[in-house]
Amino acid sequence: RSSDLYVALHPKMQAFQALPMSRLLYNAHTWCTASEDDLQKWQNHMRKPVGLMVKHTLMGAPPTHLDTEDLFGMADLLPPTDQLHLARLRYFKRLIQYCPQALWTCLTSALGTQHSWLDACARSCEWFTRFYPHSFGPSNADSASEWIPWIAMDANWKGRLRAAAAACKRHRRAVAE
């Protein structure tokens, strides 16, 4: 029977997140040399599989007419670049707690350069303030070092990241629709 072959979108997306997305995101939070163009090319590798999974929700529009972020929004998944920001911010909390002084010296010596991980982390903090639904963090922060005391003392950081991710997912879905 054909009804036995149908798999709903939600289980497909759970499997997709667990398998290809986890492989795509493996250690991506440590990247600091990737440019915005590189990240867009990297994200677009998932365009075709997600487009195939959500094409029935597009009301006849071909998946090639939507951005990758919109396709992920239709699938109720965070696009890879948003997941990269989340992973980087999770890692930032661990880094603040457990990082040896030698690594901090290396990270801060690269500040302001083209390949600075802390500058990439500052972009992730901007992403967080864009999507977190409440006021949190330093006002008008332009560097990750301004976020360190806020993140270090926050016992609810993981919950704040989940809230930002949920808000981002809702935003991506609304834009896609």
Side-chain angles (χ1 to χ4, degrees), residues 9-10 34 48-49 69 82 87 95 116 130 132 141 144 163 166 171-172:
L9 183 61
H10 183 69
K48 185 174 181 180
E69 289 179 345
D82 292 336
L95 190 73
S116 169
R130 178 177 173 205
Y132 187 62
H171 171 77
R172 299 289 184 218

Side-chain angles (χ1 to χ4, degrees), residues 7-147:
V7 178
L9 183 61
H10 183 69
K12 285 181 189 177
M13 290 300 106
Q14 286 179 318
F16 185 76
Q17 179 67 37
L19 299 170
M21 287 301 295
S22 63
R23 186 172 181 183
L24 180 76
L25 290 164
Y26 181 73
N27 273 345
H29 61 280
T30 62
W31 296 349
C32 58
T33 58
S35 68
E36 289 301 317
D37 289 339
D38 293 335
L39 291 176
Q40 286 305 312
K41 288 177 191 172
W42 168 75
Q43 176 171 269
N44 284 336
H45 284 295
M46 292 293 123
R47 179 185 185 85
K48 185 174 181 180
V50 172
L52 290 172
M53 285 188 272
V54 299
K55 70 179 177 183
H56 68 280
T57 65
L58 300 179
M59 294 185 238
T64 55
H65 289 184
L66 281 96
D67 290 338
T68 306
E69 289 179 345
D70 293 341
L71 290 172
F72 272 87
M74 291 303 292
D76 254 354
L77 282 177
L78 286 174
T81 52
D82 292 336
Q83 290 189 45
L84 172 62
H85 288 303
L86 274 174
R88 195 179 284 145
L89 291 171
R90 281 188 208 107
Y91 184 69
F92 194 32
K93 174 75 171 184
R94 291 191 310 268
L95 190 73
I96 292 168
Q97 291 175 327
Y98 305 112
C99 181
Q101 184 59 44
L103 182 55
W104 273 117
T105 304
C106 290
L107 288 172
T108 54
S109 67
L111 262 171
T113 65
Q114 170 182 344
H115 302 297
S116 169
W117 186 84
L118 287 175
D119 288 341
C121 198
R123 289 190 299 277
S124 295
C125 290
E126 289 172 18
W127 174 89
F128 174 79
T129 56
R130 178 177 173 205
F131 291 109
Y132 187 62
H134 308 289
S135 178
F136 179 81
S139 58
N140 300 326
D142 59 348
S143 73
S145 55
E146 294 174 35
W147 278 87

